[in-house]
Amino acid sequence: MKTQLRGAPETKRAAILDAAMKLFSQYGYRRTSIDDIARDAEIAKGTVYLSFKSKEEIFRALCESLIERSESGAKLARDTPGPIDHRLIAVLEAKFGFLFETVHRSAHAAELMDSKNRLSADLFASSGRRYMKVLREMIEEATHAGELAPSRMGLDASDLAELLVAAAHGIEQNATSPARYHRRLREIVRVIVAGLSASRGEVRARE
């Protein structure tokens, strides 16, 4: 007999999304059914349909949840005092480190990414624009404060933001574990920041 999850609709919705995340990671999007999600969430199949019209809608809601979490983490990292390399690492970890832990370590990562691009491309495109804005503003502030001088390499804040994002994407290919991914991300940010640090003369000129 099916165990009915007690609580508010928000509690049931959260249980559905938690179950979906677990099953999509373990078995892939295509092999996971509404029945599977309901069973894992310990609710009736009909209860799932009270919150979501389809598996596609569950997937999009799950993507929205992941985006909200990564954006909140990025904003928190942006606003946390500290050296610019530490803050940039934290902002990149909030999105790329989090997604690597959540998606890319799955045996079904390729299928999940394909499903993401097919079902939620608009969500991630909008999130990507907001994320780039956070990075640009951080770089502009660090440049104004004398921590960075991207112009030394003919770069502006947008160029450097794009370079950091490209690097975060690039190291996914050879990261055989989350620990290796996080280590490479830290290393590459520190190398880039060291190469673009303002010289003492430039700092004095700004003062």
Side-chain angles (χ1 to χ4, degrees):
M1 182 176 176
K2 177 65 68 176
T3 300
Q4 295 298 315
L5 183 71
R6 297 181 183 278
E10 293 79 9
T11 302
K12 294 178 181 178
R13 180 182 174 90
I16 293 166
L17 293 179
D18 286 345
M21 184 70 250
K22 172 186 171 184
L23 296 174
F24 289 156
S25 179
Q26 287 183 343
Y27 304 112
Y29 176 77
R30 287 189 295 270
R31 288 183 57 193
T32 300
S33 68
I34 294 286
D35 284 323
D36 296 328
I37 294 170
R39 187 180 308 112
D40 195 88
E42 298 187 338
I43 60 177
K45 182 177 179 180
T47 303
V48 175
Y49 285 111
L50 292 177
S51 297
F52 302 100
K53 296 178 181 177
S54 64
K55 185 172 72 169
E56 290 80 2
E57 191 170 293
I58 293 174
F59 188 87
R60 278 182 63 88
L62 184 58
C63 288
E64 288 175 334
S65 177
L66 295 177
I67 286 170
E68 181 179 354
R69 181 173 168 182
S70 67
E71 288 187 358
S72 295
K75 290 175 182 176
L76 178 63
R78 176 196 62 191
D79 298 333
T80 300
I84 187 59
D85 60 329
H86 292 183
R87 292 165 59 219
L88 284 172
I89 290 168
V91 168
L92 290 168
E93 283 281 13
K95 179 174 182 176
F96 298 102
F98 170 58
L99 290 178
F100 188 88
E101 290 271 5
T102 305
V103 177
H104 292 282
R105 67 186 304 181
S106 167
H108 303 278
E111 184 201 338
L112 291 174
M113 293 302 292
D114 177 68
S115 298
K116 183 205 82 169
N117 294 333
R118 183 167 50 86
L119 300 172
S120 303
D122 58 323
L123 300 178
F124 282 93
S126 296
S127 175
R129 289 190 289 270
R130 293 190 296 270
Y131 184 81
M132 291 299 289
K133 184 174 184 290
V134 169
L135 268 181
R136 284 196 306 271
E137 289 175 349
M138 283 183 66
I139 293 165
E140 288 168 355
E141 290 170 4
T143 300
H144 182 72
E147 291 184 279
L148 291 175
S151 60
R152 288 175 55 204
M153 297 295 177
L155 304 174
D156 60 19
S158 293
D159 296 328
L160 182 50
E162 290 174 5
L163 180 64
L164 288 166
V165 168
H169 274 305
I171 60 176
E172 291 172 357
Q173 306 304 315
N174 297 316
T176 53
S177 69
R180 182 177 175 84
Y181 181 85
H182 299 313
R183 184 173 69 252
R184 286 293 184 226
L185 189 61
R186 291 193 300 271
E187 290 168 349
I188 201 162
V189 170
R190 287 168 180 159
V191 167
I192 290 173
V193 168
L196 296 177
S197 293
S199 68
R200 292 181 180 177
E202 288 172 307
V203 173
R204 285 198 297 270
R206 288 190 181 89
E207 295 173 347

